[in-house]
Amino acid sequence: MEIFDGFSFKEIVTSFMVLFAVIDIIGSVPIIVSLQQKFGKIEAGKAAITAGAIMIVFLFVGNKILKLIGVDVNSFAIAGAFVIFVIALEMILGIEINKTTEAKAASIVPIAFPLVAGAGTLTTALSLRAEFHDINIICGIILNTIFVYLVLKSAKWLEQKIGDATLMILQKVFGIILLAISIKLFTANFAQLVLNYVNFKIMKKFYKVFLVLFIVFIAINLYAINWQNDLIADEDNIKFVFSASAAAIGLILLFVMDTWSRIGVKK
């Protein structure tokens, strides 16, 4: 069958790991236990199957929705890279950027959606489609669905055995993995967009202007940081750090785009 033509064990493992890191079901064990205590028994099978079905359906329907509103897969993948980047920062720095509402029930909502198959997971699944074959992503989703089921069935036991410190370490590790994945997704799809839409000769003229602007912006934010306070604990410092980081990423992209412009002009 045509769907099995792109079957790749490497892509399956990568898809599984990416989705596993985004879902972060191990890190959600304390939440699951809390929901069990508050609302009673959680139907593990029902929740896992529903979450898996949502991910697989969105994998195929999501692309049609994008075409309907005139957005290509590469653009959506870049947006997904930003979502994954934010999730990674939350996991690494232990901060909450995306505010979540308090759960009112512990059945399909909020376990299947949005805890497992949330916005980040759905965006990631569709973003992976820009890089991997469908069959490999589906296999990754199925493997994660099985793992989610096992975790939901043994949530209390896992919390007792793993402990808060281990959960925190796992969260940081997967956060770093997600950060690397988000950068890879962004660069691969951004490169394709640049090749498709950018006029290299015009871009080359504005290179020096943007270079100066980014450097000035970084310098202003670094100057505004109160270095005597904690960079993460101080809310004002966090804003300046994020702004400087964004400008630094822009500076890196500017160098990359300048390199592409030189190649594009030669061609």
Side-chain angles (χ1 to χ4, degrees):
M1 293 177 68
E2 190 176 331
I3 193 171
F4 292 104
D5 290 345
F7 188 86
S8 168
F9 182 74
K10 182 181 178 181
E11 287 191 4
I12 291 172
V13 173
T14 305
S15 299
F16 168 77
M17 291 301 295
V18 171
L19 290 169
F20 180 79
V22 175
I23 293 169
D24 189 28
I25 192 64
I26 298 295
S28 300
V29 167
I31 300 171
I32 296 167
V33 173
S34 176
L35 289 171
Q36 282 180 330
Q37 292 172 349
K38 190 173 182 180
F39 301 107
K41 184 182 177 182
I42 293 173
E43 297 180 54
K46 189 176 180 180
I49 292 171
T50 303
I54 291 172
M55 286 187 278
I56 292 173
V57 168
F58 190 81
L59 182 67
F60 294 99
V61 179
N63 198 28
K64 291 181 174 62
I65 295 171
L66 290 181
K67 287 182 179 178
L68 185 66
I69 60 177
V71 177
D72 58 82
V73 176
N74 294 118
S75 299
F76 190 83
I78 290 173
F82 281 114
V83 173
I84 299 170
F85 183 80
V86 170
I87 294 170
L89 287 180
E90 287 183 330
M91 294 171 71
I92 295 169
L93 301 178
I95 58 178
E96 187 180 13
I97 300 171
N98 177 38
K99 303 295 182 181
T100 54
T101 55
E102 187 178 351
K104 295 182 179 180
S107 52
I108 300 303
V109 179
I111 298 296
F113 180 85
L115 189 63
V116 177
T121 308
L122 298 179
T123 304
T124 303
L126 200 56
S127 300
L128 288 173
R129 207 175 183 195
E131 298 290 323
F132 304 141
H133 290 88
D134 292 342
I135 183 62
N136 301 319
I137 302 172
I138 292 170
C139 289
I141 291 172
I142 293 171
L143 289 173
N144 271 286
T145 302
I146 294 169
F147 195 84
V148 166
Y149 169 77
L150 295 173
V151 171
L152 290 176
K153 288 290 286 185
S154 55
K156 286 186 178 180
W157 181 84
L158 282 172
E159 188 185 42
Q160 293 172 355
K161 295 295 180 181
I162 295 176
D164 293 337
T166 307
L167 287 174
M168 187 176 293
I169 293 170
L170 288 173
Q171 193 176 48
K172 304 294 182 187
V173 170
F174 282 115
I176 294 170
I177 293 171
L178 278 185
L179 199 60
I181 291 165
S182 69
I183 293 170
K184 181 185 176 184
L185 268 176
F186 179 85
T187 52
N189 289 280
F190 186 76
Q192 189 61 46
L193 282 180
V194 169
L195 291 173
N196 290 340
Y197 299 112
V198 172
N199 186 319
F200 291 107
K201 291 182 179 179
I202 294 175
M203 187 180 73
K204 191 170 177 63
K205 295 179 181 179
F206 293 96
Y207 169 73
K208 291 182 179 179
V209 176
F210 283 107
L211 180 65
V212 172
L213 287 174
F214 277 127
I215 292 174
V216 170
F217 191 75
I218 292 171
I220 291 171
N221 280 279
L222 290 176
Y223 179 77
I225 293 174
N226 187 345
W227 296 99
Q228 294 180 348
N229 294 342
D230 194 319
L231 289 178
I232 298 175
D234 191 292
E235 291 186 5
D236 291 330
N237 277 348
I238 289 176
K239 294 176 184 177
F240 293 130
V241 168
F242 273 120
S243 297
S245 300
I249 292 171
L251 196 61
I252 293 169
L253 290 175
L254 196 63
F255 281 116
V256 173
M257 290 174 71
D258 180 59
T259 304
W260 286 335
S261 69
R262 295 174 191 276
I263 297 169
V265 169
K266 286 180 181 178
K267 289 184 178 180

